[in-house]
């Protein structure tokens, strides 16, 4: 039994949308970490929430510092 396909449309309920964003953001950061480890690379990922708050992931301190200095 496989996963069912999720219909991609905006989630109208604000609370449900925030929960989904939080869970998917965590999953995205986890995948970014796995990619950085498996491929031995440095990676920066910046995601903005619906209200404009930035969330950052960096696999190396050097990249995040150079981004912040701009």
């Amino acid at each position: 039994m496989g996963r069912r396909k999720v219909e991609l449309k905006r989630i109208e309920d604000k609370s449900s949308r925030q929960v989904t964003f939080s869970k998917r953001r965590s999953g995205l950061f986890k995948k970014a970490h796995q990619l950085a480890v498996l491929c031995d690379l440095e990676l920066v990922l910046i995601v903005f929430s619906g209200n404009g708050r930035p969330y950052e992931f960096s696999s190396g301190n050097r990249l995040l510092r150079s981004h912040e200095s701009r």
Side-chain angles (χ1 to χ4, degrees):
M1 185 157 138
R3 294 184 184 194
R4 63 186 171 101
K5 194 168 190 171
V6 176
E7 182 181 351
L8 293 180
K9 64 177 184 174
R10 185 175 192 267
I11 299 171
E12 296 301 325
D13 181 50
K14 189 174 183 178
S15 177
S16 295
R17 188 169 55 242
Q18 179 58 38
V19 169
T20 300
F21 171 75
S22 182
K23 288 181 180 181
R24 289 191 176 238
R25 182 189 71 225
S26 297
L28 183 61
F29 287 177
K30 182 178 178 181
K31 288 292 186 182
H33 172 73
Q34 291 172 353
L35 180 64
V37 170
L38 290 172
C39 298
D40 190 29
L41 51 86
E42 293 184 358
L43 183 79
V44 172
L45 179 63
I46 303 172
V47 177
F48 292 91
S49 68
N51 60 5
R53 181 175 177 195
Y55 294 89
E56 303 170 344
F57 168 83
S58 174
S59 63
N61 292 332
R62 183 176 59 128
L63 289 174
L64 192 56
R65 277 194 309 250
S66 66
H67 167 70
E68 290 173 347
S69 65
R70 291 182 183 186

Coordinates of all heavy atoms in Angstrom, one line a residue:
M1 N 0.8 -1.2 0.0 CA 0.0 0.0 0.0 C 0.9 1.2 0.0 O 1.7 1.4 0.9 CB -0.9 0.0 1.2 CG -1.9 1.1 1.3 SD -3.1 0.5 2.3 CE -3.7 1.4 3.4
G2 N 0.7 2.1 -1.0 CA 1.5 3.3 -1.1 C 0.9 4.5 -0.5 O -0.2 4.5 0.0
R3 N 1.6 5.6 -0.6 CA 1.1 6.9 -0.1 C 0.1 7.4 -1.1 O 0.3 7.3 -2.3 CB 2.2 7.8 0.1 CG 3.1 7.4 1.3 CD 4.1 8.5 1.5 NE 5.1 8.1 2.5 CZ 5.9 8.9 3.1 NH1 6.0 10.1 2.8 NH2 6.7 8.4 4.0
R4 N -0.9 8.1 -0.6 CA -1.8 8.8 -1.5 C -1.3 10.1 -2.0 O -0.5 10.7 -1.2 CB -3.2 8.9 -0.9 CG -3.3 9.8 0.3 CD -4.7 9.7 0.9 NE -4.7 10.4 2.1 CZ -5.1 11.6 2.3 NH1 -5.7 12.3 1.3 NH2 -5.1 12.2 3.5
K5 N -1.6 10.5 -3.1 CA -1.1 11.8 -3.7 C -1.9 13.0 -3.0 O -3.1 12.9 -2.9 CB -1.3 11.8 -5.2 CG -0.6 12.9 -5.9 CD -0.6 12.7 -7.4 CE 0.3 13.7 -8.0 NZ 0.5 13.4 -9.4
V6 N -1.1 14.0 -2.6 CA -1.7 15.1 -1.9 C -2.0 16.2 -2.9 O -1.2 16.5 -3.8 CB -0.7 15.7 -0.9 CG1 -1.3 17.0 -0.2 CG2 -0.3 14.7 0.2
E7 N -3.3 16.6 -2.9 CA -3.7 17.7 -3.8 C -3.0 19.0 -3.4 O -3.1 19.4 -2.2 CB -5.2 17.8 -3.8 CG -5.7 18.9 -4.7 CD -7.2 19.0 -4.6 OE1 -7.9 18.2 -4.0 OE2 -7.7 20.0 -5.3
L8 N -2.3 19.6 -4.3 CA -1.6 20.8 -4.0 C -2.5 22.0 -4.2 O -2.8 22.5 -5.3 CB -0.4 21.0 -4.8 CG 0.7 20.0 -4.5 CD1 1.9 20.3 -5.4 CD2 1.2 20.0 -3.1
K9 N -3.0 22.6 -3.0 CA -3.8 23.8 -3.1 C -3.6 24.5 -1.7 O -3.2 23.8 -0.7 CB -5.3 23.5 -3.3 CG -5.9 22.7 -2.2 CD -7.4 22.5 -2.5 CE -8.0 21.8 -1.3 NZ -9.5 21.7 -1.4
R10 N -3.9 25.7 -1.7 CA -3.7 26.5 -0.4 C -4.5 26.0 0.7 O -5.7 25.7 0.5 CB -4.0 28.0 -0.7 CG -3.7 28.9 0.5 CD -4.0 30.3 0.1 NE -3.4 31.2 1.1 CZ -4.2 31.7 2.1 NH1 -5.4 31.4 2.2 NH2 -3.6 32.5 3.0
I11 N -4.0 25.8 1.9 CA -4.7 25.4 3.0 C -5.4 26.6 3.6 O -4.7 27.6 4.0 CB -3.8 24.7 4.1 CG1 -3.1 23.5 3.5 CG2 -4.5 24.4 5.3 CD1 -2.0 22.9 4.3
E12 N -6.7 26.6 3.7 CA -7.4 27.8 4.1 C -7.4 28.1 5.6 O -7.3 29.2 6.0 CB -8.9 27.7 3.6 CG -9.1 27.7 2.1 CD -8.5 28.9 1.4 OE1 -8.6 30.0 2.0 OE2 -8.0 28.8 0.3
D13 N -7.4 27.0 6.4 CA -7.4 27.2 7.8 C -6.0 27.6 8.3 O -5.0 26.9 8.0 CB -7.8 25.9 8.5 CG -7.8 26.0 10.0 OD1 -8.4 27.0 10.5 OD2 -7.2 25.1 10.7
K14 N -5.9 28.8 8.9 CA -4.6 29.4 9.2 C -3.8 28.5 10.2 O -2.6 28.3 10.0 CB -4.8 30.8 9.9 CG -3.6 31.6 10.1 CD -3.9 33.0 10.6 CE -2.6 33.8 10.7 NZ -2.9 35.1 11.1
S15 N -4.5 27.9 11.2 CA -3.8 27.0 12.1 C -3.2 25.8 11.4 O -2.1 25.4 11.7 CB -4.8 26.6 13.2 OG -4.2 25.8 14.1
S16 N -4.0 25.1 10.6 CA -3.6 24.0 9.9 C -2.4 24.3 8.9 O -1.5 23.5 8.8 CB -4.7 23.4 9.0 OG -5.7 22.9 9.9
R17 N -2.5 25.5 8.3 CA -1.5 25.9 7.4 C -0.1 26.1 8.1 O 0.9 25.7 7.7 CB -1.9 27.2 6.7 CG -0.9 27.7 5.6 CD -1.5 28.8 4.7 NE -1.9 30.0 5.5 CZ -3.1 30.4 5.6 NH1 -4.1 29.9 4.9 NH2 -3.4 31.5 6.3
Q18 N -0.2 26.7 9.4 CA 1.0 26.9 10.2 C 1.6 25.6 10.6 O 2.8 25.4 10.5 CB 0.7 27.8 11.4 CG 1.9 28.0 12.3 CD 3.1 28.7 11.6 OE1 2.9 29.5 10.7 NE2 4.3 28.3 11.9
V19 N 0.8 24.6 11.0 CA 1.3 23.3 11.4 C 1.9 22.6 10.2 O 3.0 22.0 10.3 CB 0.1 22.4 12.0 CG1 0.5 21.0 12.1 CG2 -0.4 23.0 13.3
T20 N 1.3 22.6 9.1 CA 1.9 22.0 7.8 C 3.2 22.7 7.5 O 4.2 22.0 7.2 CB 0.9 22.1 6.7 OG1 -0.4 21.5 7.0 CG2 1.4 21.5 5.4
F21 N 3.3 24.0 7.5 CA 4.5 24.7 7.2 C 5.6 24.2 8.2 O 6.7 23.9 7.7 CB 4.3 26.2 7.3 CG 5.6 27.0 7.2 CD1 6.2 27.1 6.0 CD2 6.2 27.5 8.4 CE1 7.4 27.8 5.9 CE2 7.4 28.2 8.3 CZ 8.0 28.4 7.0
S22 N 5.3 24.2 9.4 CA 6.3 23.8 10.4 C 6.8 22.4 10.2 O 8.0 22.1 10.2 CB 5.7 23.9 11.8 OG 6.6 23.6 12.8
K23 N 5.9 21.5 10.0 CA 6.3 20.1 9.7 C 7.1 19.9 8.4 O 8.2 19.2 8.4 CB 5.1 19.1 9.7 CG 4.5 18.9 11.0 CD 3.3 18.0 10.9 CE 2.6 17.7 12.2 NZ 1.5 16.8 12.0
R24 N 6.7 20.6 7.4 CA 7.4 20.5 6.1 C 8.7 21.2 6.1 O 9.7 20.7 5.5 CB 6.5 20.9 4.9 CG 5.3 20.0 4.7 CD 4.6 20.3 3.4 NE 3.6 19.3 3.2 CZ 3.6 18.5 2.1 NH1 4.5 18.7 1.1 NH2 2.6 17.7 1.9
R25 N 8.8 22.3 6.8 CA 10.1 23.0 7.0 C 11.1 22.1 7.7 O 12.2 22.0 7.2 CB 9.9 24.3 7.8 CG 11.1 25.1 7.9 CD 10.9 26.2 8.9 NE 10.8 25.7 10.3 CZ 9.9 26.1 11.2 NH1 9.1 27.0 10.9 NH2 9.9 25.5 12.4
S26 N 10.6 21.4 8.7 CA 11.5 20.5 9.4 C 12.0 19.4 8.5 O 13.2 19.0 8.5 CB 10.8 19.9 10.6 OG 10.5 20.9 11.6
G27 N 11.1 18.8 7.7 CA 11.4 17.8 6.8 C 12.4 18.2 5.7 O 13.3 17.5 5.3
L28 N 12.2 19.5 5.2 CA 13.0 20.0 4.2 C 14.5 20.2 4.8 O 15.5 19.9 4.1 CB 12.5 21.4 3.7 CG 13.2 22.1 2.6 CD1 13.2 21.2 1.3 CD2 12.5 23.4 2.3
F29 N 14.6 20.7 6.0 CA 15.9 20.9 6.6 C 16.6 19.6 6.9 O 17.8 19.5 6.7 CB 15.7 21.7 7.9 CG 15.4 23.2 7.7 CD1 15.2 24.0 8.8 CD2 15.4 23.8 6.5 CE1 15.0 25.4 8.7 CE2 15.1 25.1 6.3 CZ 14.9 25.9 7.4
K30 N 15.8 18.6 7.2 CA 16.4 17.3 7.4 C 17.0 16.7 6.1 O 18.1 16.2 6.1 CB 15.3 16.3 7.9 CG 15.8 14.9 8.2 CD 14.7 14.0 8.8 CE 15.2 12.6 9.1 NZ 14.1 11.8 9.6
K31 N 16.2 16.9 5.0 CA 16.7 16.4 3.7 C 17.9 17.2 3.3 O 18.9 16.7 2.7 CB 15.6 16.6 2.6 CG 14.5 15.5 2.8 CD 15.0 14.2 2.5 CE 13.9 13.2 2.5 NZ 14.3 11.8 2.2
A32 N 18.0 18.5 3.6 CA 19.1 19.3 3.2 C 20.4 18.9 4.0 O 21.4 18.8 3.4 CB 18.8 20.8 3.6
H33 N 20.2 18.5 5.3 CA 21.3 18.0 6.1 C 21.8 16.7 5.5 O 23.0 16.4 5.4 CB 20.8 17.8 7.5 CG 21.8 17.1 8.4 ND1 23.0 17.7 8.8 CD2 21.9 15.8 8.9 CE1 23.7 16.8 9.5 NE2 23.0 15.7 9.6
Q34 N 20.9 15.8 5.1 CA 21.2 14.5 4.6 C 22.0 14.7 3.3 O 23.0 14.0 3.0 CB 20.0 13.6 4.3 CG 19.3 13.2 5.5 CD 18.0 12.5 5.2 OE1 17.5 12.5 4.1 NE2 17.4 11.9 6.3
L35 N 21.6 15.6 2.4 CA 22.3 15.9 1.2 C 23.7 16.4 1.4 O 24.6 16.0 0.8 CB 21.5 16.9 0.3 CG 22.1 17.3 -1.0 CD1 22.1 16.1 -1.9 CD2 21.2 18.4 -1.6
A36 N 23.8 17.3 2.4 CA 25.1 17.8 2.7 C 26.1 16.7 3.2 O 27.3 16.7 2.9 CB 25.0 18.9 3.8
V37 N 25.6 15.8 4.1 CA 26.4 14.8 4.6 C 26.8 13.7 3.5 O 27.9 13.4 3.3 CB 25.7 14.1 5.8 CG1 26.5 12.8 6.2 CG2 25.6 15.0 7.0
L38 N 25.8 13.3 2.8 CA 26.0 12.3 1.7 C 26.9 12.7 0.6 O 27.8 12.0 0.1 CB 24.7 11.8 1.1 CG 23.8 11.0 2.1 CD1 22.4 10.8 1.4 CD2 24.4 9.7 2.4
C39 N 26.8 14.0 0.2 CA 27.6 14.5 -0.9 C 28.8 15.3 -0.5 O 29.5 15.9 -1.3 CB 26.7 15.3 -1.8 SG 25.3 14.3 -2.5
D40 N 29.0 15.4 0.8 CA 30.2 16.2 1.4 C 30.2 17.6 0.8 O 31.2 18.0 0.2 CB 31.5 15.4 1.1 CG 32.6 16.1 1.9 OD1 32.4 16.6 3.0 OD2 33.8 16.0 1.4
L41 N 29.1 18.3 1.0 CA 29.1 19.7 0.5 C 28.6 20.7 1.6 O 28.1 20.2 2.6 CB 28.2 19.8 -0.7 CG 26.8 19.2 -0.7 CD1 25.8 20.2 -0.1 CD2 26.4 18.7 -2.0
E42 N 28.8 21.9 1.4 CA 28.2 23.0 2.2 C 27.0 23.5 1.6 O 26.9 23.7 0.4 CB 29.2 24.1 2.5 CG 30.4 23.6 3.3 CD 31.4 24.7 3.6 OE1 31.2 25.9 3.2 OE2 32.4 24.4 4.2
L43 N 25.9 23.7 2.4 CA 24.6 24.0 1.9 C 24.0 25.1 2.8 O 24.1 25.0 4.0 CB 23.8 22.8 1.9 CG 22.4 22.8 1.3 CD1 22.5 22.8 -0.2 CD2 21.6 21.7 1.8
V44 N 23.3 26.1 2.2 CA 22.5 27.1 2.9 C 21.1 27.0 2.3 O 20.9 27.0 1.1 CB 23.1 28.5 2.7 CG1 22.2 29.5 3.3 CG2 24.5 28.6 3.4
L45 N 20.1 27.0 3.2 CA 18.8 27.0 2.8 C 18.0 28.1 3.6 O 18.1 28.1 4.8 CB 18.1 25.6 3.0 CG 16.7 25.4 2.7 CD1 16.4 25.6 1.2 CD2 16.2 24.0 3.1
I46 N 17.3 29.0 2.9 CA 16.6 30.0 3.6 C 15.1 29.9 3.1 O 14.8 29.9 1.9 CB 17.1 31.4 3.2 CG1 18.6 31.6 3.6 CG2 16.3 32.5 3.9 CD1 19.2 32.8 3.2
V47 N 14.2 29.8 4.1 CA 12.8 29.7 3.8 C 12.1 30.8 4.6 O 12.3 31.1 5.7 CB 12.3 28.3 4.3 CG1 10.8 28.2 4.1 CG2 13.0 27.2 3.7
F48 N 11.1 31.5 3.9 CA 10.4 32.5 4.5 C 8.9 32.0 4.8 O 8.3 31.5 3.9 CB 10.3 33.8 3.6 CG 11.6 34.4 3.5 CD1 12.5 34.1 2.4 CD2 12.0 35.4 4.4 CE1 13.8 34.7 2.3 CE2 13.3 36.0 4.3 CZ 14.1 35.7 3.2
S49 N 8.5 32.3 6.0 CA 7.1 31.9 6.3 C 6.1 32.9 5.6 O 6.5 33.8 5.0 CB 6.9 32.0 7.8 OG 7.0 33.3 8.3
G50 N 4.8 32.6 5.8 CA 3.8 33.4 5.2 C 3.8 34.8 5.6 O 3.4 35.7 4.9
N51 N 4.2 35.0 6.9 CA 4.3 36.4 7.4 C 5.7 37.1 7.2 O 6.0 38.1 7.8 CB 3.8 36.5 8.8 CG 4.6 35.7 9.8 OD1 5.6 35.1 9.4 ND2 4.2 35.6 11.0
G52 N 6.6 36.4 6.5 CA 7.9 37.0 6.1 C 9.0 36.6 7.1 O 10.1 37.2 6.9
R53 N 8.8 35.8 8.1 CA 9.9 35.4 9.0 C 10.8 34.4 8.3 O 10.4 33.4 7.8 CB 9.3 34.8 10.2 CG 10.4 34.4 11.2 CD 9.8 34.0 12.5 NE 10.9 33.6 13.4 CZ 10.8 32.9 14.5 NH1 9.6 32.4 14.9 NH2 11.8 32.5 15.2
P54 N 12.1 34.7 8.3 CA 13.1 33.8 7.7 C 13.5 32.7 8.6 O 13.6 32.9 9.8 CB 14.3 34.7 7.4 CG 14.2 35.8 8.5 CD 12.8 36.0 8.8
Y55 N 13.7 31.5 8.1 CA 14.2 30.3 8.8 C 15.4 29.9 7.9 O 15.3 29.8 6.7 CB 13.2 29.2 8.8 CG 12.0 29.6 9.7 CD1 10.9 30.2 9.2 CD2 12.0 29.3 11.1 CE1 9.8 30.6 9.9 CE2 10.9 29.6 11.8 CZ 9.8 30.3 11.3 OH 8.7 30.6 12.1
E56 N 16.5 29.6 8.6 CA 17.8 29.3 7.9 C 18.3 27.9 8.3 O 18.2 27.5 9.5 CB 18.8 30.3 8.3 CG 18.5 31.7 7.9 CD 19.5 32.7 8.5 OE1 20.3 32.4 9.4 OE2 19.4 33.9 8.0
F57 N 18.9 27.2 7.4 CA 19.7 26.0 7.6 C 21.0 26.2 7.0 O 21.1 26.7 5.8 CB 19.0 24.8 7.1 CG 19.9 23.6 7.1 CD1 20.0 22.8 8.2 CD2 20.6 23.2 5.9 CE1 20.9 21.7 8.2 CE2 21.5 22.2 5.9 CZ 21.6 21.4 7.0
S58 N 22.1 25.9 7.7 CA 23.4 25.9 7.1 C 24.2 24.7 7.5 O 24.2 24.4 8.7 CB 24.2 27.2 7.5 OG 25.5 27.2 7.1
S59 N 24.8 24.0 6.6 CA 25.6 22.9 6.9 C 27.1 23.2 7.3 O 27.8 22.4 7.8 CB 25.7 21.9 5.8 OG 26.3 22.5 4.7
G60 N 27.4 24.5 7.1 CA 28.8 25.0 7.5 C 28.7 26.4 8.0 O 28.0 27.2 7.4
N61 N 29.4 26.7 9.0 CA 29.4 28.1 9.6 C 29.9 29.1 8.6 O 29.4 30.3 8.6 CB 30.2 28.1 10.9 CG 29.6 27.3 12.0 OD1 28.4 27.2 12.0 ND2 30.4 26.8 12.9
R62 N 30.8 28.8 7.8 CA 31.4 29.8 6.9 C 30.4 30.4 5.9 O 30.3 31.6 5.7 CB 32.5 29.1 6.0 CG 33.2 30.0 5.1 CD 34.3 29.2 4.4 NE 33.8 28.1 3.7 CZ 34.0 27.8 2.4 NH1 34.8 28.6 1.7 NH2 33.5 26.8 1.8
L63 N 29.5 29.5 5.4 CA 28.5 30.0 4.5 C 27.5 31.0 5.1 O 27.1 32.0 4.6 CB 27.7 28.9 3.8 CG 28.5 28.1 2.8 CD1 27.8 26.8 2.4 CD2 28.9 28.9 1.6
L64 N 27.0 30.6 6.3 CA 26.1 31.4 7.0 C 26.6 32.8 7.4 O 26.0 33.8 7.2 CB 25.5 30.7 8.3 CG 24.3 31.3 8.9 CD1 23.2 31.5 7.9 CD2 23.9 30.5 10.1
R65 N 27.9 32.8 7.8 CA 28.5 34.1 8.2 C 28.7 35.0 6.9 O 28.4 36.2 7.0 CB 29.9 33.8 8.8 CG 29.9 33.5 10.2 CD 31.3 33.6 10.8 NE 32.2 32.8 10.0 CZ 32.8 31.7 10.3 NH1 32.6 31.2 11.5 NH2 33.6 31.1 9.5
S66 N 29.0 34.4 5.8 CA 29.2 35.3 4.6 C 27.8 35.8 4.1 O 27.8 36.9 3.6 CB 29.9 34.5 3.5 OG 29.1 33.4 3.0
H67 N 26.8 35.0 4.4 CA 25.4 35.5 4.0 C 25.0 36.6 4.9 O 24.4 37.6 4.4 CB 24.4 34.3 4.1 CG 23.0 34.8 4.0 ND1 22.4 35.3 2.9 CD2 22.1 34.9 5.0 CE1 21.2 35.6 3.2 NE2 20.9 35.4 4.4
E68 N 25.3 36.5 6.2 CA 24.9 37.5 7.1 C 25.6 38.8 7.0 O 25.1 39.9 7.3 CB 25.0 37.0 8.6 CG 24.1 35.9 8.9 CD 24.4 35.3 10.3 OE1 25.4 35.5 10.8 OE2 23.5 34.6 10.8
S69 N 26.8 38.8 6.4 CA 27.6 40.0 6.3 C 27.2 40.9 5.1 O 27.6 42.0 5.0 CB 29.1 39.7 6.1 OG 29.3 39.0 4.9
R70 N 26.3 40.4 4.3 CA 25.8 41.2 3.1 C 24.7 42.1 3.5 O 24.0 42.0 4.3 CB 25.3 40.2 2.0 CG 26.5 39.4 1.4 CD 26.0 38.5 0.3 NE 27.1 37.8 -0.1 CZ 27.1 37.0 -1.1 NH1 26.0 36.8 -1.8 NH2 28.1 36.3 -1.5

